[in-house]
Amino acid sequence: MNPWSLSYEGYDPASEGLREALCTLGNGRFATRGASPDGRARTPGTYAAGCYNRLPSTVEGRVVTNEDLVNLPDWLPLTFATPGAAWFHPERADLLEYRQELDMRHGVLLRELRWRDRQDRVTQVRQRRLVSMADPRLAALETTFTAENWTGRLRVRAALDGRVTNSGVARYRDLRGDHLTCYTTGALDGVTWLTAMTRSSGITVALAARTDSGEPRVTEEPDRVTTDHVLDLVENEPATLAKIVALTTSRDPAIHDPRSAAIRAARRAPHFDALMAQHAAAWEGLWERAGIDVDGPEIAQIVHLHIFHLLQTLSPHTADLDVGVPARGLHGEAYRGHVFWDELFVLPWLNLRFPEISLGLLRYRWRRLPEARAAARASGFDGAMFPWQSGSDGQEETQTTHLNPVSGRWLPDNSRLQRHVGLGIAYNVWQHYLATGSMPPWCAELLLEIARFFASLAVLDPVSGRYEIRGVMGPDEYHETYPGAASPGLANNAYTNIMTVWLLRRARDTMRLLPGLPATAHELSRWEDITRRVRVDFHDGVISQFTGYADLKDLDWERYRGVRRLDRALEADGDDVNRYKASKQADTLMLFYLLTADELLDILDGLNYLADPGLIPRTIHYYLDRTSHGSTLSAVVHAWVLARSDRARSWHFFTEALRSDIEDVQHGTTAEGIHLGAMGGTLDLLQRCYLGLEIHADGLRLDPLLPDQLKILSMPVLFRGAHIQIDADHRRARTFTRGNRS
Ligand code: BGC
């Protein structure tokens, strides 16, 4: 097995969706799914970071508006035909060989096939595809044909196709996906182009293509432009045709208009080989900063895959784009390209390699502070209330109703009550500061505004003398309401309450760091008071996920064994998961993921709760037994919390998180987009959990504890401007600053 490539033998229309997602190519500005250029069973998808559009749809008589990351016109189409034969489609061709390979080191998707036509002519086709990491406007598809036993004319048809919609996720198909309108097409001096506009956000998108092969015949249709080429093939002599494409949008800086910019970029682009060389060099630079060496080709392959897809979604080109971390990458339409809290699992890894990308992602949040402030005000709070799902302008994009595919029923969706998303943003601000040593004033403002919001969420209960946070949800999406309650939301989610204390402490530190930041004495004393008197519930010697958790029923786990989405299964059975002690994913255990044991015990001590050292392992085991892992993030967190106490089980969860996408462990979700949080989380686990890399105010601490299954673990990190290489095995760890072995 080659740890740098992912290869597939044979053509299987049924598994194309998964291959397409895993073979997506991108450069942090846009990405294109690994759809075949010529198949029938294809879900083409090209998504540009931040290119969203809203559309109203009617669901069960009600109008709902959703914002989607728009599927842009398809630049891939290319098919061919031997003399007298129909256009090639893999589904109906007599395929003698078919293989596809994702070369992760160089960022290239290779496809090789041999097919025999009805007249026994055998033709070999070899395609190389890239989405340039060197010039983020460019992509290219090179096709080389070799006639094995014939000589004659091969017709080739290439197109830029605007007839695409957002239709990649079956359960959204009742919702509108026709985001594009106002198409124009044309051809100019050997370059064809197509433009379209998003219906409500009014973003113009342009594609321009140059085909390096003779003078094609051009056919312009309103929403598609096609070029027809003829290649004179001579037996056993390869002939190549390259399609070089530029994609621009009206969101781009330094352009007059997208169409002219795309045409100029396509025209000026070098030939395929030069384009490839520049692209490969850009990837080499990224791997140098981001590579992780582990032994064992299977693990190494998945680690490479995760780094690869993370950097294809969030690259140095992303830093300047005003975009966030889309939960499903730029790889599919699940969750509509929205930004949740998943950045919490991604930024810790980026911080120590590409802090400039992290900063860009934090700036996406900062730029949406006015919207978050308005949302807080509208709900009667101070500070900034960030949306659970964010897209273009930072409004709440969480759907109000969702389809349970098991029961076929549309149900209310209260997940927007996950206010904890703001805690994740603040946590990332602080981690970025620790990793870089720099806290720009706008980052401080972001952290403080979030702190103000959580401080205003906390209400003092005069009876208990404790501050309570009511009407929220924790990360566990199975609990959004109390059984039978009139309104949704829970009281005193432990994760939210304890992280609020953590945040208010960091707010105080930030004030010390940047004296002069505005805060009133009243505010500061209230923050101080909250850090001493927030309510946390306990039952059976463990931290309660929320007030009243102890009163919930025990689930018949035997009956639902192996079911990951208990919410859907129970609803389909006429029941309600809210009634049970059952979690979709780590919730209380997130505390142990983000805080050290000392930090957590210190917070509880400050709150005057007696916490014995056994509290943490007891709480871990309690929830571990009651979690269905309905989110890929769950395995990441569990691998971490068990790392020191149960190494075998930790490894089990780690490998489960590694397998999430490559094996599509949720049966069908990866085809709709990768799980970027889990991918980032596995990389963070390698550095934080197994290498034991901790960032403290006074420096980096290293305390490796490699699992038995890993013999070596090496990676470079960038800590406060110093490039440090860390190499560990079971006996020792060595660090040296780059170029300076010690
Ligand atoms: C999880 C969330 C996550 C979202 C996007 C959901 O299934 O419950 O925690 O943010 O997916 O990845």
Side-chain angles (χ1 to χ4, degrees):
M1 167 187 281
N2 178 351
W4 285 99
S5 82
L6 198 62
S7 49
Y8 300 93
E9 298 293 334
Y11 180 72
D12 172 21
S15 56
E16 273 294 283
L18 178 60
R19 285 190 192 186
E20 287 176 357
L22 291 174
C23 293
T24 295
L25 295 180
N27 57 25
R29 177 175 171 272
F30 79 96
T32 297
R33 284 165 66 85
S36 75
D38 43 37
R40 289 268 158 88
R42 65 194 292 266
T43 312
T46 290
Y47 310 96
C51 184
Y52 291 102
N53 185 62
R54 292 195 184 119
L55 277 183
S57 309
T58 305
V59 177
E60 296 190 326
R62 272 195 319 130
V63 175
V64 294
T65 299
N66 285 304
E67 183 171 77
D68 287 83
L69 189 67
V70 178
N71 187 10
L72 303 180
D74 187 11
W75 61 271
L76 285 174
L78 186 136
T79 185
F80 33 87
T82 45
W87 293 111
F88 173 86
H89 293 299
E91 289 84 355
R92 68 167 181 217
D94 178 9
L95 291 171
L96 305 176
E97 274 170 46
Y98 190 99
R99 75 183 289 278
Q100 191 173 313
E101 182 179 337
L102 178 69
D103 168 355
M104 298 183 274
R105 193 192 280 271
H106 305 105
V108 178
L109 182 61
L110 188 71
R111 182 181 185 230
E112 287 170 322
L113 62 92
R114 289 173 65 235
W115 109 97
R116 178 169 46 205
D117 71 8
R118 291 216 176 127
Q119 290 167 44
D120 283 335
R121 285 176 294 216
V122 176
T123 312
Q124 203 186 93
V125 181
R126 187 170 189 272
Q127 290 182 315
R128 294 190 293 166
R129 181 193 306 186
L130 62 87
V131 171
S132 177
M133 195 51 97
D135 183 336
R137 296 164 305 176
L138 299 179
L141 173 68
E142 180 208 57
T143 309
T144 304
F145 301 94
T146 312
E148 289 190 7
N149 58 357
W150 62 281
T151 292
R153 306 195 111 186
L154 182 84
R155 290 176 296 138
V156 181
R157 175 168 283 180
L160 299 175
D161 189 358
R163 293 174 198 171
V164 294
T165 56
N166 277 52
S167 47
V169 177
R171 64 187 175 284
Y172 299 166
R173 284 195 189 137
D174 287 350
L175 306 166
R176 279 178 65 190
D178 56 331
H179 292 283
L180 295 173
T181 183
C182 298
Y183 295 93
T184 67
T185 54
L188 203 66
D189 300 338
V191 173
T192 53
W193 52 266
L194 178 149
T195 72
M197 200 171 81
T198 57
R199 281 184 194 275
S200 64
S201 53
I203 301 171
T204 300
V205 185
L207 281 179
R210 188 188 86 207
T211 327
D212 290 342
S213 158
E215 282 289 304
R217 186 164 56 82
V218 179
T219 310
E220 292 171 29
E221 295 167 83
D223 51 6
R224 178 158 58 189
V225 54
T226 308
T227 50
D228 280 297
H229 310 253
V230 175
L231 298 184
D232 288 314
L233 295 190
V234 177
E235 187 172 333
N236 275 324
E237 283 185 17
T240 295
L241 183 144
K243 183 178 179 186
I244 315 258
V245 175
L247 184 153
T248 57
T249 82
S250 51
R251 283 170 49 87
D252 292 344
I255 62 165
H256 173 270
D257 66 288
R259 185 181 70 96
S260 69
I263 292 173
R264 285 149 70 92
R267 186 166 295 137
R268 285 178 186 160
H271 289 293
F272 188 87
D273 283 338
L275 201 60
M276 172 70 88
Q278 292 164 1
H279 169 68
W283 266 109
E284 198 181 310
L286 293 182
W287 284 115
E288 204 165 297
R289 288 167 77 178
I292 296 181
D293 284 335
V294 287
D295 51 342
E298 286 90 6
I299 302 279
Q301 182 201 43
I302 306 178
V303 168
H304 291 147
L305 186 76
H306 288 191
I307 297 172
F308 183 66
H309 283 310
L310 202 153
L311 290 177
Q312 293 203 110
T313 311
L314 307 166
S315 80
H317 301 300
T318 317
D320 200 24
L321 286 184
D322 185 33
V323 298
V325 177
R328 306 301 285 273
L330 299 170
H331 296 59
E333 291 163 16
Y335 295 138
R336 306 192 164 82
H338 291 173
V339 176
F340 297 61
W341 72 322
D342 303 58
E343 63 210 62
L344 188 53
F345 297 83
V346 173
L347 262 63
W349 186 80
L350 282 177
N351 285 341
L352 285 172
R353 285 152 191 88
F354 302 96
E356 71 282 12
I357 305 180
S358 299
L359 202 64
L361 298 167
L362 291 173
R363 201 178 285 111
Y364 164 83
R365 295 297 194 175
W366 176 75
R367 287 194 170 119
R368 283 148 188 82
L369 256 184
E371 196 60 47
R373 285 194 183 108
R377 240 43 97 243
S379 300
F381 300 112
D382 299 334
M385 178 169 92
F386 279 91
W388 172 237
Q389 294 186 30
S390 184
S392 59
D393 58 10
Q395 283 185 46
E396 180 60 78
E397 301 296 346
T398 306
Q399 56 199 347
T400 48
T401 167
H402 67 236
L403 179 71
N404 178 358
V406 183
S407 69
R409 278 189 284 270
W410 285 90
L411 305 162
D413 189 329
N414 296 307
S415 56
R416 65 182 57 212
L417 294 177
Q418 290 185 71
R419 303 291 176 229
H420 67 82
V421 61
L423 296 165
I425 298 169
Y427 186 86
N428 276 338
V429 169
W430 191 254
Q431 291 305 314
H432 184 268
Y433 157 66
L434 289 180
T436 61
S438 142
M439 172 73 84
W442 62 265
C443 279
E445 184 189 16
L446 186 55
L447 187 142
L448 290 178
E449 282 293 87
I450 296 171
R452 288 194 174 97
F453 168 68
F454 280 91
S456 73
L457 260 186
V459 175
L460 186 63
D461 175 44
V463 180
S464 64
R466 291 271 179 191
Y467 285 90
E468 303 209 351
I469 295 181
R470 296 179 166 270
V472 301
M473 279 174 67
D476 165 24
E477 299 192 326
Y478 288 172
H479 291 100
E480 44 177 41
T481 183
Y482 289 105
S487 56
L490 305 162
N492 303 312
N493 168 255
Y495 171 66
T496 305
N497 285 17
I498 292 175
M499 287 306 291
T500 295
V501 175
W502 175 89
L503 170 59
L504 294 176
R505 288 180 170 197
R506 295 298 80 78
R508 205 172 47 200
D509 295 344
T510 306
M511 306 287 301
R512 281 195 206 113
L513 214 57
L514 298 175
L517 289 169
T520 63
H522 168 73
E523 199 168 35
L524 294 178
S525 80
R526 185 177 148 82
W527 293 358
E528 178 68 28
D529 200 33
I530 295 173
T531 60
R532 298 190 183 287
R533 293 204 280 155
V534 149
R535 172 168 171 171
V536 179
D537 290 63
F538 299 85
H539 71 281
D540 298 347
V542 305
I543 301 175
S544 305
Q545 194 170 306
F546 48 83
T547 302
Y549 180 91
D551 304 330
L552 301 180
K553 288 169 170 294
D554 285 315
L555 183 77
D556 179 357
W557 287 94
E558 229 4 81
R559 177 165 174 202
Y560 291 98
R561 186 195 282 275
V563 177
R564 281 179 191 265
R565 291 301 300 266
L566 288 171
D567 53 340
R568 293 177 178 169
L570 282 153
E571 194 274 331
D573 286 352
D575 204 341
D576 177 5
V577 74
N578 280 295
R579 300 171 61 221
Y580 297 97
K581 290 186 178 110
S583 303
K584 177 179 178 188
Q585 65 201 92
D587 188 306
T588 307
L589 302 195
M590 278 303 297
L591 290 167
F592 313 138
Y593 185 70
L594 299 184
L595 307 178
T596 63
D598 288 347
E599 275 176 308
L600 177 70
L601 294 175
D602 187 52
I603 288 177
L604 290 175
D605 186 51
L607 291 170
N608 238 333
Y609 288 114
L610 273 182
D612 67 291
L615 175 71
I616 296 178
R618 278 197 308 277
T619 305
I620 291 173
H621 289 288
Y622 184 88
Y623 290 102
L624 192 53
D625 290 345
R626 292 167 176 79
T627 301
S628 74
H629 309 293
S631 159
T632 53
L633 298 174
S634 199
V636 172
V637 181
H638 284 89
W640 166 258
V641 298
L642 293 167
R644 306 262 150 169
S645 61
D646 187 343
R647 297 173 63 198
R649 219 156 166 208
S650 164
W651 181 256
H652 163 83
F653 278 115
F654 176 65
T655 51
E656 155 129 3
L658 281 181
R659 293 190 300 111
S660 297
D661 281 321
I662 196 166
E663 291 182 17
D664 186 22
V665 297
Q666 293 186 337
H667 307 296
T669 63
T670 299
E672 302 168 345
I674 54 152
H675 297 82
L676 199 60
M679 286 194 169
T682 54
L683 304 175
D684 185 35
L685 281 176
L686 285 171
Q687 70 177 13
R688 205 155 64 94
C689 179
Y690 299 136
L691 210 50
L693 199 63
E694 283 178 21
I695 312 179
H696 292 267
D698 58 355
L700 267 190
R701 219 167 283 163
L702 196 62
D703 181 12
L705 186 58
L706 266 52
D708 296 340
Q709 294 82 349
L710 281 189
K711 302 280 173 284
I712 58 149
L713 182 55
S714 297
M715 59 185 78
V717 298
L718 174 61
F719 178 64
R720 297 181 193 163
H723 290 274
I724 305 166
Q725 175 69 31
I726 307 174
D727 298 338
D729 59 27
H730 282 270
R731 286 180 304 121
R732 59 180 181 169
R734 289 185 317 151
T735 65
F736 46 92
T737 40
R738 281 281 183 98
N740 193 2
R741 257 167 210 276
S742 65

